[in-house]
Amino acid sequence: MLETFVKERGIYYLIAGLCVIGAIGKLYESFVYRRLLKAAENPERTDHSFLKLLKLKYKSYHRLNRSINNINAFIETNMFRYKHHFMGLESVRTINARLMLLCIMASCAGVAASMYYDLGNWEMIYYILVGTLATAVLELVDLQCGNDSKRRFLMAALKDYLENVLANQVGGAEKEVPEIEFMGTQAQELGERAKNASQQVAASKDMDKKRKSKTEDLEYEISEKAAERIAQEKVIAEVIKEFFP
């Protein structure tokens, strides 16, 4: 089966297919970078999901008081996680780099198969030429797309925006925090004063109640003494009437 595949020039088709897939992958990568660069030109008004998520994460880190010491690592991490239509950008870059190597390996496999099945020297030369041509085509497409330069320019644009624009916006928002805290302390002091005043009013009411209760107790004692005195006067009057009718 392998001999039939080699003699039917299947390796040539394999190299051509890898070359076409690699070229399409590089064009797709270039398309994604162009969209990101266009969004990075005006990141304040962009609707691109990657830029919006990047800004949201940066602001969230500052609100949680977690400083970003390495801005390049922050951008690289988010770009590594970015997916365009369920395809990660870093995955596309990795596949594109591997496809060029696969073309070279397929060409070497064709040379080895030609030697094993004794297909002749010209067949080996053809495999070498086809592998070299496929690798050159992929390299030319990569140079034409300029994906590496686009990636560097995108990194520089995002770093400039985060450090020089968004950092100042977040820093300006943080400067307003002491004023808010100061207003909060004033409100707290006013609340404590009101609480103390209410406690004083409650204490004065308690004192009035105690005074009132003491007065009522005193009046009750006086009335009891007066009643006893009246009862004693009645008893004395009755005794006098018995002895002095």
Side-chain angles (χ1 to χ4, degrees):
M1 182 177 180
L2 182 59
E3 183 179 359
T4 304
F5 179 77
V6 173
K7 289 183 177 180
E8 292 293 333
R9 300 179 182 271
I11 296 179
Y12 289 112
Y13 295 112
L14 177 62
I15 295 173
L18 293 173
C19 181
V20 171
I21 294 173
I24 293 173
K26 290 182 182 296
L27 292 173
Y28 174 78
E29 184 182 356
S30 176
F31 169 74
V32 175
Y33 278 129
R34 281 203 305 270
R35 287 194 61 190
L36 289 171
L37 286 170
K38 185 177 180 180
E41 291 177 358
N42 191 4
E44 291 291 333
R45 298 181 179 180
T46 184
D47 293 331
H48 199 282
S49 59
F50 175 73
L51 269 298
K52 292 171 69 175
L53 182 62
L54 189 70
K55 291 189 293 182
L56 181 61
K57 284 185 177 181
Y58 189 84
K59 292 179 180 179
S60 299
Y61 274 108
H62 278 274
R63 288 173 182 172
L64 295 174
N65 293 326
R66 296 176 62 184
S67 59
I68 301 174
N69 297 323
N70 192 343
I71 194 68
N72 290 326
F74 176 74
I75 298 173
E76 284 280 357
T77 303
N78 285 276
M79 289 187 66
F80 183 80
R81 295 174 180 173
Y82 171 64
K83 291 184 178 181
H84 183 263
H85 295 301
F86 305 101
M87 177 65 72
L89 183 58
E90 292 298 322
S91 300
V92 174
R93 294 183 72 247
T94 304
I95 292 172
N96 291 336
R98 298 292 185 272
L99 285 173
M100 187 179 294
L101 180 62
L102 287 175
C103 287
I104 297 173
M105 292 176 63
S107 177
C108 294
V111 172
S114 298
M115 293 175 63
Y116 182 77
Y117 294 111
D118 195 15
L119 299 178
N121 294 330
W122 284 106
E123 195 71 20
M124 290 187 290
I125 294 172
Y126 289 152
Y127 278 117
I128 294 173
L129 290 175
V130 170
T132 304
L133 180 62
T135 305
V137 169
L138 291 177
E139 189 66 27
L140 287 174
V141 172
D142 191 17
L143 291 174
Q144 184 66 30
C145 294
N147 292 328
D148 291 335
S149 60
K150 288 178 181 177
R151 181 181 176 83
R152 289 194 298 269
F153 186 74
L154 178 63
M155 289 285 296
L158 293 177
K159 183 178 180 181
D160 177 63
Y161 171 69
L162 293 178
E163 288 184 345
N164 299 325
V165 179
L166 195 59
N168 294 329
Q169 293 178 359
V170 175
E174 289 178 353
K175 291 179 181 179
E176 297 177 358
V177 172
E179 183 179 357
I180 296 173
E181 292 179 353
F182 179 72
M183 293 174 64
T185 53
Q186 285 185 338
Q188 186 176 1
E189 290 179 357
L190 292 174
E192 290 179 355
R193 291 179 182 177
K195 185 177 180 181
N196 294 330
S198 62
Q199 289 178 354
Q200 291 178 359
V201 171
S204 62
K205 288 182 179 179
D206 291 337
M207 291 294 294
D208 293 338
K209 289 181 179 179
K210 289 180 181 180
R211 289 174 183 175
K212 187 175 181 180
S213 61
K214 288 182 179 180
T215 304
E216 290 177 353
D217 293 339
L218 182 60
E219 291 178 353
Y220 180 74
E221 290 179 358
I222 292 172
S223 60
E224 284 186 349
K225 289 181 179 180
E228 289 179 357
R229 186 175 180 181
I230 291 171
Q232 289 177 359
E233 290 179 352
K234 286 182 179 181
V235 171
I236 294 171
E238 290 177 356
V239 171
I240 292 172
K241 285 181 180 179
E242 288 180 357
F243 286 98
F244 301 99

